[in-house]
Amino acid sequence: MKLKELLRVLPLCHTDADLDMDIKKIAQDSREVTPGTLFICIDGEIVDGHKFAQVAEQNGASVILAEKPVDVSIPVILIRDTKRGMAILADHFYSSPSQKMRMIGITGTNGKTTVSHLIEQVLRDQGETTGLIGTMYMRIADETIETKNTTPDSLTLQRVFSKMNEKEVTTAVMEVSSHALVQGRVYGTDYDVAVFTNLSQDHLDYHKTMEEYAYAKSLLFAQLGNRYSKNHPKMAILNVDDQASKTMKRATAAHIITYGIDQKADFRARKMEITSKGTTFELVSPEGTETVHIQMIGKFSVYNILAAIATCYVCGVPLKEIMKTLSGIKGVRGRFELVHAGQDFPVIVDYAHTPDGLLNVLETISEFAEKRIFVVVGCGGDRDKGKRPKMAKIAAEYATNPIFTSDNPRTEEPVAIINDMLEGVQGESYEVRVNRKEAIELAVNSAEKGDVILIAGKGHEDYQIIGTEKHDFDDRLVAHEAIEKKQKL
């Protein structure tokens, strides 16, 4: 693409660069620069890309986009906001790829990963070619790609969307984090459906207040736009049981579709029966009332199912087809995942890393636990400290045998994190094992028939971050090995 064509989408932009030069690539990482690249300097949370302008020049960059002067000999285009500029340029460079697919964005504190996988599976069963972007990985048709963030930056995102276009993806389903919304990572993404799961305490180290956190989530719904189209309607799918849904509703001009359990909704679950083998409930929908059974367990799972039903329904999938798929899904990796190694007590691994997430899982377990409930739980380092005592308090209230341990301590001292947690359980009974492997082994070795073990916080993660390094660690494998070791004794 010629530079003059690329810059056409940036108003009030002036440069003395040769406007007829060919721009073959856009990059914000100097290591990705090759001859013919437009390098964008992003002043990020950790690294200021302006410091790498000279490296980009050495690697063959043709022109630099920056917010402030940089010492290079190649042309520089100065604009006020390079993050915003990068999103605009990326969308144009890749020919607005999100406009060529149905885009579904899912935001909320808990449930994003499960809901996105449920929706994707329904659409795949309908013969669609799908894309998926989220916490666990990205998937383009049948190709799976590892990810670093729940929601990538705008340049990476548009590049991925372009690859989805090449693979003839018809619908892309993606988790949209609050950080991504505030930082403008999804600028330029043309969403058709936005889904709100719930809001509970998390990331207050970043957002500071729950009001700011809710506002961040509402940006997704504002970005559905302000235009009505008979042929291309925009839809907001809201959990009406969550008070924060009112914030999402105020933020959007789109059509509102609701789901819930406690409040009247377009898609509502009533008369739930929860067992260790699944959940049965009465589904009330625009097509009437029917009794359905899902293999997933718990009230929180029902909310996730309802979100998926409502979303797929507005996407035109017949309700019978939706339920045919959803009734056969056992769950998502690391989300209420059972570890089987021949033991006579359930061992469950779950990603619950917020107070509300942990509460939901423990309340579900209490529905079918016959005897004791063991919970192995820690809190992440360099993250919201305010939730630590709350997590511990919930563990002590809803489990008979709480065991506090390390999660991903990162650059904090593991003992200091655990001490923050213990402030919420003064006078309560609990165990502490700083080493996560030892904590899991303690739970497994102590459990008997009729007991239940929950290993919470890390779910699908197959690593533990200590300091700045990742170490191999998978709760499921560690639990499996501990069970096998116990059985040999």
Side-chain angles (χ1 to χ4, degrees):
M1 182 180 287
K2 298 292 185 183
L3 181 60
K4 62 183 175 183
E5 170 61 21
L6 187 58
L7 297 184
R8 187 170 61 83
V9 295
L10 289 182
L12 305 178
C13 176
H14 301 283
T15 179
D16 57 2
D18 176 9
L19 295 177
D20 285 322
M21 73 167 66
D22 284 317
I23 299 300
K24 300 176 182 178
K25 184 178 184 180
I26 300 176
Q28 64 160 325
D29 186 334
S30 60
R31 295 168 296 185
E32 296 180 358
V33 171
T34 54
T37 297
L38 182 150
F39 177 69
I40 303 177
C41 301
I42 300 293
D43 191 354
E45 299 285 323
I46 300 174
V47 177
D48 184 354
H50 292 80
K51 296 179 180 179
F52 295 89
Q54 290 184 353
V55 177
E57 179 182 12
Q58 292 167 8
N59 289 345
S62 298
V63 62
I64 304 286
L65 187 74
E67 293 178 354
K68 52 193 174 186
V70 290
D71 185 17
V72 294
S73 59
I74 57 176
V76 177
I77 305 165
L78 285 174
I79 63 172
R80 186 183 306 123
D81 184 346
T82 52
K83 278 186 181 179
R84 190 177 295 269
M86 181 170 73
I88 296 168
L89 291 177
D91 174 74
H92 185 50
F93 186 79
Y94 290 107
S95 303
S96 302
S98 67
Q99 295 180 28
K100 299 170 184 175
M101 305 177 285
R102 181 195 288 128
M103 292 296 310
I104 300 173
I106 303 157
T107 197
T109 306
N110 301 311
K112 296 187 295 296
T113 299
T114 298
V115 172
S116 64
H117 280 76
L118 294 175
I119 294 169
E120 188 210 25
Q121 190 58 57
V122 171
L123 297 177
R124 286 173 74 92
D125 285 354
Q126 292 302 301
E128 288 205 36
T129 302
T130 59
L132 182 72
I133 300 174
T135 305
M136 292 165 56
Y137 43 68
M138 283 193 291
R139 190 152 54 212
I140 303 174
D142 294 321
E143 179 188 3
T144 300
I145 305 163
E146 205 173 306
T147 56
K148 293 181 180 179
N149 298 316
T150 298
T151 313
D153 63 83
S154 61
L155 178 56
T156 302
L157 206 51
Q158 298 303 324
R159 186 184 299 137
V160 169
F161 291 156
S162 180
K163 290 181 180 178
M164 288 183 180
N165 287 171
E166 292 173 6
K167 294 289 187 178
E168 299 183 339
V169 166
T170 52
T171 300
V173 187
M174 63 180 292
E175 300 177 45
V176 188
S177 69
S178 56
H179 287 66
L181 287 160
V182 170
Q183 294 169 8
R185 293 186 222 158
V186 294
Y187 284 164
T189 301
D190 186 19
Y191 291 105
D192 300 290
V193 183
V195 184
F196 170 65
T197 59
N198 50 65
L199 194 82
S200 62
Q201 183 175 337
D202 198 17
H203 305 306
L204 293 192
D205 54 316
Y206 184 82
H207 298 293
K208 305 307 178 186
T209 67
M210 288 299 293
E211 289 75 20
E212 284 295 313
Y213 186 29
Y215 168 76
K217 296 292 188 186
S218 75
L219 292 175
L220 175 63
F221 298 87
Q223 290 172 23
L224 285 171
N226 203 46
R227 181 172 68 94
Y228 294 116
S229 170
K230 293 179 182 178
N231 300 322
H232 198 182
K234 304 283 188 167
M235 299 285 183
I237 313 295
L238 305 180
N239 175 2
V240 74
D241 288 349
D242 194 300
Q243 283 296 308
S245 65
K246 295 178 181 177
T247 301
M248 314 304 148
K249 184 177 180 180
R250 286 193 297 268
T252 187
H255 300 285
I256 302 291
I257 307 297
T258 60
Y259 69 94
I261 297 173
D262 302 325
Q263 305 293 324
K264 185 178 180 181
D266 298 314
F267 293 85
R268 186 181 185 186
R270 302 187 307 194
K271 302 178 182 178
M272 284 187 298
E273 294 181 11
I274 301 170
T275 72
S276 59
K277 295 182 179 179
T279 306
T280 301
F281 63 91
E282 188 176 83
L283 173 65
V284 181
S285 77
E287 297 195 4
T289 302
E290 61 179 300
T291 299
V292 300
H293 178 78
I294 59 172
Q295 297 185 53
M296 298 167 66
I297 301 169
K299 187 176 182 180
F300 66 93
S301 293
V302 174
Y303 276 116
N304 293 336
I305 287 283
L306 289 172
I309 292 172
T311 302
C312 294
Y313 191 82
V314 302
C315 289
V317 183
L319 186 58
K320 286 186 177 180
E321 294 296 313
I322 296 171
M323 295 315 305
K324 181 180 178 181
T325 293
L326 296 183
S327 62
I329 295 177
K330 294 182 178 180
V332 175
R333 184 160 56 92
R335 271 65 178 175
F336 214 84
E337 182 177 352
L338 289 166
V339 177
H340 294 291
Q343 79 278 16
D344 55 3
F345 50 86
V347 176
I348 300 162
V349 171
D350 192 86
Y351 191 54
H353 60 285
T354 66
D356 190 58
L358 183 62
L359 175 62
N360 288 337
V361 176
L362 285 172
E363 282 184 333
T364 295
I365 290 173
S366 66
E367 293 271 352
F368 61 81
E370 298 174 14
K371 296 181 180 177
R372 297 175 297 175
I373 299 174
F374 291 81
V375 58
V376 177
V377 64
C379 289
D382 302 332
R383 297 293 187 270
D384 182 4
K385 294 185 178 182
K387 70 181 182 181
R388 293 173 184 174
K390 295 179 181 180
M391 293 275 287
K393 184 177 180 181
I394 289 169
E397 287 182 358
Y398 288 85
T400 56
N401 297 71
I403 304 171
F404 301 122
T405 187
S406 297
D407 190 281
N408 291 319
R410 299 184 176 87
T411 63
E412 287 192 68
E413 283 295 325
V415 173
I417 297 172
I418 294 172
N419 286 339
D420 286 343
M421 296 180 70
L422 297 184
E423 290 180 9
V425 290
Q426 294 180 14
E428 300 285 349
S429 176
Y430 55 82
E431 294 274 359
V432 172
R433 294 291 187 278
V434 178
N435 183 291
R436 192 172 181 89
K437 182 173 183 288
E438 292 178 5
I440 292 171
E441 289 175 343
L442 173 61
V444 168
N445 291 334
S446 303
E448 300 172 350
K449 185 177 181 180
D451 295 337
V452 180
I453 296 175
L454 170 64
I455 305 171
K458 291 174 55 59
H460 65 280
E461 294 177 354
D462 57 4
Y463 58 83
Q464 188 174 27
I465 305 174
I466 302 173
T468 57
E469 295 183 2
K470 279 187 176 181
H471 301 264
D472 289 342
F473 196 98
D474 189 321
D475 283 349
R476 297 161 299 180
L477 293 178
V478 172
H480 199 281
E481 290 170 359
I483 296 165
E484 289 184 329
K485 185 177 178 180
K486 179 181 180 178
Q487 290 173 336
K488 291 178 180 178
L489 295 177

